[in-house]
Amino acid sequence: MFSWNSRRYWDLWPYELPLHHFPGQPELTQEPPLERQQRPLVHFLQPNELPPAENDDIYQVFNFMNRCYLLAGIFMVITVFQWLLFTLLVKQKGLFVLPGFICLLLAFTALMMLTFCLQLRSNRWFGCIFAWLFVETVALSVILLLPVRSIQNISVALVAALIVLAVCYFQGAWLPMFILPGVIVLVVVLIVFAALAGVVLILFILTDQSVYRVVYFGLILFVTLPMSLFHAQVIHGRRYRLPKEAFLSCAVIIYMHFSLFFMAFYYLIWVHKW
């Protein structure tokens, strides 16, 4: 009567109750051993690893950026060497107005060709020829139009221009986008600069006062700052994705910003020497 029988309790209260409302687990198909060995393994990304497509994009942007800065650095080194060599060889003080003005017109023509001739710019030899033409004519026009050519004046203005150029391109590459100037801001700045620069040049020609010259180069410094910030965003792929053949034009624009900074700082620092 009081005997213990485990089978009796097992039948009345089983350990696993049946679940009538949920389907059972489907049977998995057995894979042959040969196919299991030949099946490719799934690649799991590490926490700091990016997909292959994104890695390719980052590599292309980095390669484009290195080409731009390397070529622009070569342009700057050659230009500074020519400026110092011309300063040591030519002892005559004063302006070479006519040769400097001719070189400036040639530089502007080469820049327009590089900017608007898209079909010709796709040719590598065409781009290289007009890029070197722009660099050489800008270097000659700047050194010919300097009122006082000395190692001290050129060195101080050169250091100031390089520091401001490096700061602008560093900020354009790392600052948040909502702080940096966009296309609308750049267009407004260029329109205001064109209007004010025209008025200042007319007043300088009519009155021949040095204060208008200082205002003019101050405007050049003012407009070059947002241009450098915007161009840094383009080079680092933050605004637009340019083709890899456009690194030559971008290097020329960096060199142009360097030349504008140099001219602005030279005339603003050594204004008392005129």
Side-chain angles (χ1 to χ4, degrees):
M1 179 176 179
F2 295 101
S3 62
W4 179 264
N5 190 357
S6 60
R7 183 178 297 273
R8 180 191 308 172
Y9 294 98
W10 175 264
D11 295 335
L12 293 178
W13 189 265
Y15 288 102
E16 295 182 0
L17 295 176
L19 300 177
H20 300 285
H21 301 287
F22 295 94
Q25 186 176 4
E27 296 182 359
L28 300 177
T29 58
Q30 296 295 329
E31 190 175 5
L34 183 60
E35 295 182 2
R36 186 181 305 171
Q37 294 177 1
Q38 295 179 355
R39 185 179 59 186
L41 297 177
V42 180
H43 177 70
F44 295 97
L45 296 177
Q46 299 298 326
N48 296 326
E49 188 178 357
L50 298 174
E54 191 170 352
N55 279 329
D56 294 339
D57 293 340
I58 293 176
Y59 175 76
Q60 291 178 3
V61 172
F62 188 73
N63 190 19
F64 181 83
M65 178 184 62
N66 287 340
R67 288 184 178 184
C68 292
Y69 287 129
L70 180 61
L71 189 58
I74 293 174
F75 290 159
M76 294 177 194
V77 171
I78 294 175
T79 299
V80 173
F81 176 76
Q82 292 178 354
W83 287 347
L84 298 178
L85 184 63
F86 188 88
T87 303
L88 294 175
L89 295 179
V90 180
K91 302 298 183 180
Q92 181 181 359
K93 304 297 181 181
L95 298 173
F96 295 92
V97 179
L98 185 59
F101 184 72
I102 293 174
C103 291
L104 195 61
L105 288 179
L106 291 176
F108 182 76
T109 304
L111 183 62
M112 292 297 103
M113 295 290 288
L114 285 172
T115 303
F116 296 106
C117 297
L118 300 179
Q119 295 181 355
L120 296 177
R121 192 175 62 183
S122 60
N123 190 352
R124 181 177 300 179
W125 291 107
F126 173 84
C128 292
I129 290 172
F130 277 88
W132 280 109
L133 180 62
F134 175 78
V135 171
E136 290 297 327
T137 50
V138 167
L140 288 176
S141 63
V142 169
I143 196 63
L144 290 175
L145 294 176
L146 291 182
V148 178
R149 287 178 294 275
S150 66
I151 302 297
Q152 180 184 3
N153 294 18
I154 293 177
S155 300
V156 173
L158 182 63
V159 171
L162 290 176
I163 291 175
V164 175
L165 184 71
V167 170
C168 288
Y169 275 84
F170 182 80
Q171 291 179 350
W174 295 104
L175 286 181
M177 295 292 292
F178 67 91
I179 299 177
L180 299 173
V183 179
I184 299 177
V185 175
L186 188 63
V187 171
V188 172
V189 169
L190 290 176
I191 293 174
V192 172
F193 168 76
L196 294 179
V199 174
V200 171
L201 283 178
I202 293 173
L203 292 175
F204 174 72
I205 294 173
L206 295 177
T207 60
D208 196 17
Q209 296 182 4
S210 60
V211 63
Y212 296 110
R213 189 182 303 174
V214 175
V215 173
Y216 177 74
F217 285 101
L219 290 174
I220 289 179
L221 179 62
F222 169 75
V223 75
T224 311
L225 291 173
M227 288 172 58
S228 302
L229 292 172
F230 181 81
H231 191 245
Q233 302 170 49
V234 175
I235 289 178
H236 289 264
R238 306 183 70 186
R239 286 285 177 184
Y240 309 107
R241 186 63 57 86
L242 297 178
K244 61 180 181 180
E245 295 82 8
F247 75 95
L248 185 62
S249 301
C250 293
V252 168
I253 295 175
I254 296 175
Y255 174 78
M256 182 184 67
H257 294 161
F258 161 74
S259 302
L260 291 175
F261 278 134
F262 175 81
M263 292 175 59
F265 282 112
Y266 182 90
Y267 285 98
L268 291 177
I269 293 174
W270 306 105
V271 61
H272 61 279
K273 295 288 184 178
W274 296 349

